[in-house]
Amino acid sequence: MKLTPLDAPGYEKVVYAEDAESGLKSIIAVHSTKLGPAAGGCRMFNYPDLETAKIDALRLSKGMTYKNAAASLPLGGGKSVIMADPNTDKSPELMQAFGRFVESFGGMYTTAEDVGISVEDIEEAAKFTSHAAGLNKGAFASGDPSPVTARGVFLSCLAALKHAFGRDQIEGKTVALQGLGHVGMYFAEHLHAAGAQLLVSDIDAHAVAEARQRFSARSVAPDDIYDVEADIFAPCAMGAILNADTIKRLKVKLVCGAANNQLADDAAGDALMERGIVYAPDYVVNGGGIISVSTEILKITDEKWVDRKIEQLAETTDKILTKAKALNASPHKVADQFVEEVLAN
């Protein structure tokens, strides 16, 4: 396996790995270990080139620093990406090579599931590293973090509803849900059970058909999800989808979803505020997955610890939105300030 350090000012360690035998092409980016060893999932995506993969890894890694700090976890921020199509290129050998790559960081970074990666994939990687979490087996195994992420987003959504609509009543609200992967589908379950009406989109026709059948959801083409009449827009797919173009098209009062790095740039958060759309900061509301995984990393034995942490995400969301309104400031800037104070102290 060939390891190549990549230049990334402001990051502690960024390395590209290429393994000819397994076909692995992967980047691990560690943004910060100020609060503790870095932790963050692995994303498998068919990136067009190395530079695109690097940009995504860096954005996601920094996002994990903020997510872990916002959830009051003694963990730093890191992320990994694998340049491959999860539907056609994945193999046990590739994931095992990835495990060896993780192990080369000597505990500086712990990996887990993310987009395109399953529990079974991480268990293959774990055969060659002791720094993998989100497993089904082991003394502290926490399993698939997706249901926990979805629950945290749902509770945070209820908290954000008060700021957008005056009360935390989801029944009867229409939610435009973008992305029906592991987390998106679990989030849809919560919304449907609470009486929300679902408008969904995904590039996976089978997932859309499942949502239509299970939740009586209506569906639209992926790009049309920005144009539908709804109360809430819930991004649960890839990041950087809120930009100058898409924000102009939204017909909602609240944005709250599970996707990472939803804002394309800082101006996007301001644009949402200018349009009167409440934005629940993504790295605050979607912290449930890393909370679940952290029970393995930190060897937590308290069975109610995760529940308390998940409830705190909703409380933090409420505090940030309350302060943002009081200061007439964008919620994403208030959230960043909150995290930066945690890191500074």
Side-chain angles (χ1 to χ4, degrees):
M1 184 183 298
K2 181 181 179 181
L3 303 181
T4 306
L6 299 180
D7 185 46
Y11 288 72
E12 293 185 15
K13 187 175 183 178
V14 182
V15 179
Y16 171 63
E18 190 165 342
D19 182 64
E21 186 175 346
S22 66
L24 177 72
K25 294 180 179 179
S26 176
I27 297 172
I28 294 177
V30 173
H31 175 254
S32 171
T33 57
K34 190 168 187 178
L35 297 180
C42 173
R43 172 171 294 185
M44 184 179 288
F45 187 75
N46 196 21
Y47 296 99
D49 51 56
L50 179 60
E51 184 60 24
T52 304
K54 176 185 173 183
I55 290 171
D56 201 28
L58 295 181
R59 285 170 55 87
L60 292 165
S61 176
K62 184 176 180 179
M64 286 308 303
T65 296
Y66 281 60
K67 182 185 297 191
N68 292 336
S72 300
L73 297 174
L75 297 171
K79 205 78 173 185
S80 51
V81 300
I82 295 175
M83 301 173 64
D85 186 329
N87 297 313
T88 58
D89 299 332
K90 191 185 296 181
S91 69
E93 293 76 18
L94 184 143
M95 293 309 303
Q96 290 166 15
F98 172 69
R100 294 195 297 272
F101 181 29
V102 172
E103 188 66 18
S104 73
F105 274 64
M108 185 182 191
Y109 166 71
T110 295
T111 193
E113 297 84 353
D114 196 359
V115 175
I117 295 292
S118 67
V119 175
E120 291 73 22
D121 298 329
I122 291 298
E123 288 180 337
E124 287 295 336
K127 292 177 180 178
F128 290 87
T129 181
S130 57
H131 306 292
L135 307 175
N136 280 330
K137 302 173 184 176
F140 297 91
S142 61
D144 183 3
S146 301
V148 188
T149 303
R151 181 165 173 261
V153 176
F154 177 70
L155 294 180
S156 297
C157 186
L158 294 182
L161 279 169
K162 294 186 295 182
H163 298 270
F165 300 98
R167 58 177 185 161
D168 61 354
Q169 183 67 44
I170 193 73
E171 185 177 3
K173 293 286 188 296
T174 299
V175 181
L177 198 157
Q178 178 190 52
L180 290 163
H182 291 302
V183 177
M185 196 68 81
Y186 281 118
F187 186 36
E189 282 185 11
H190 284 289
L191 294 168
H192 177 68
Q197 306 299 311
L198 295 178
L199 257 169
V200 302
S201 71
D202 196 287
I203 58 174
D204 184 343
H206 295 290
V208 171
E210 180 182 344
R212 290 176 65 93
Q213 192 274 325
R214 290 178 60 193
F215 313 127
S216 300
R218 291 177 291 151
S219 61
V220 296
D223 189 58
D224 293 340
I225 195 69
Y226 303 105
D227 303 302
V228 300
E229 296 275 356
D231 299 297
I232 303 162
F233 175 54
C236 295
M238 300 299 281
I241 46 80
L242 291 170
N243 54 49
D245 174 58
T246 57
I247 290 170
K248 290 177 183 177
R249 297 160 59 186
L250 293 178
K251 302 178 181 68
V252 300
K253 290 187 176 181
L254 171 64
V255 172
C256 182
N260 289 311
N261 303 115
Q262 295 168 22
L263 303 177
D265 50 37
D266 197 54
D270 294 332
L272 287 170
M273 182 180 174
E274 289 168 6
R275 289 210 53 211
I277 299 172
V278 174
Y279 172 65
D282 51 24
Y283 63 76
V284 177
V285 308
N286 67 13
I290 190 61
I291 288 172
S292 175
V293 165
S294 70
T295 61
E296 289 183 62
I297 301 171
L298 303 174
K299 296 179 171 52
I300 301 295
T301 57
D302 183 350
E303 294 181 358
K304 296 184 178 180
W305 186 84
V306 169
D307 289 337
R308 291 198 300 271
K309 282 288 187 184
I310 294 297
E311 290 167 1
Q312 286 173 10
L313 295 180
E315 293 169 5
T316 301
T317 299
D318 183 43
K319 289 177 182 177
I320 287 171
L321 294 179
T322 298
K323 187 173 181 179
K325 183 177 181 180
L327 297 176
N328 193 31
S330 299
H332 76 288
K333 291 181 178 177
V334 174
D336 286 354
Q337 183 182 30
F338 171 80
V339 167
E340 285 156 11
E341 288 175 357
V342 172
L343 293 171
N345 293 327

